[in-house]
Amino acid sequence: MIVSIASDHAGYELRQKVIKHLEEKGFEVLDGGAPNGTDSFSYVDAGIKVAEDVKSGRAERGIAICGTGIGISLVCNKYKGIRCALCSNEFMAKMCRQHNDANILAFGERVVGLGVALGMVDAFFEEEFQGGRHADRVNGIRAVEDRNFKQD
Ligand code: RB5
């Protein structure tokens, strides 16, 4: 699977570790965002990179990291068809796949440690969308997008 990942400067260090973890597991990684952890880089530009990779089909799923995960998840969710889940524990990462069919996982380097982050990453890729009543709700999200988003 091809995975897009990007972060701002505040997510840079954790991003390097997540990339290593993904590559060891055999994922192909499209890396973007801050070139280092010292120079300021907007979470807006990092979110655009991940969201556009997933929306265009260049990547099947995405991982978005900033200091809290809040800013970058807000950006990703401005794209039609993107369901970016801001998570802070493994249970949330598991449920965002099972119930919400999330296609981008967001978290914050200033919020979670490495162990929790990698546990969330693993859950995000291992869990499947359960469909059924959850599909009706995800279709409800699509209907909201259709009513409120001006562009595809
Ligand atoms: C950067 O200082 C910080 O504001 C950003 O990483 C993020 O936490 C915003 O939501």
Side-chain angles (χ1 to χ4, degrees), residues 70-133:
I70 296 171
I72 200 163
S73 64
L74 291 174
V75 173
C76 290
N77 280 316
K78 297 300 179 194
Y79 283 79
K80 192 171 183 180
I82 294 298
R83 290 177 300 283
C84 175
L86 171 57
C87 297
S88 54
N89 59 57
E90 210 170 301
F91 177 72
M92 294 173 78
K94 181 174 170 176
M95 299 312 286
C96 83
R97 286 294 309 136
Q98 289 188 2
H99 287 194
N100 311 112
D101 200 16
N103 46 18
I104 297 179
L105 171 67
F107 49 87
E109 179 173 333
R110 295 172 179 165
V111 178
V112 297
L114 179 61
V116 170
L118 298 185
M120 292 195 296
V121 168
D122 288 345
F124 183 65
F125 290 107
E126 282 162 15
E127 298 297 329
E128 296 293 334
F129 181 48
Q130 288 180 342
R133 69 185 193 280

Side-chain angles (χ1 to χ4, degrees), residues 4-24:
S4 174
I5 185 168
S7 76
D8 68 356
H9 58 285
Y12 176 82
E13 297 299 335
L14 186 53
R15 186 176 107 228
Q16 306 316 305
K17 292 169 185 158
V18 172
I19 290 171
K20 182 169 179 285
H21 182 73
L22 288 170
E23 289 179 340
E24 283 171 0

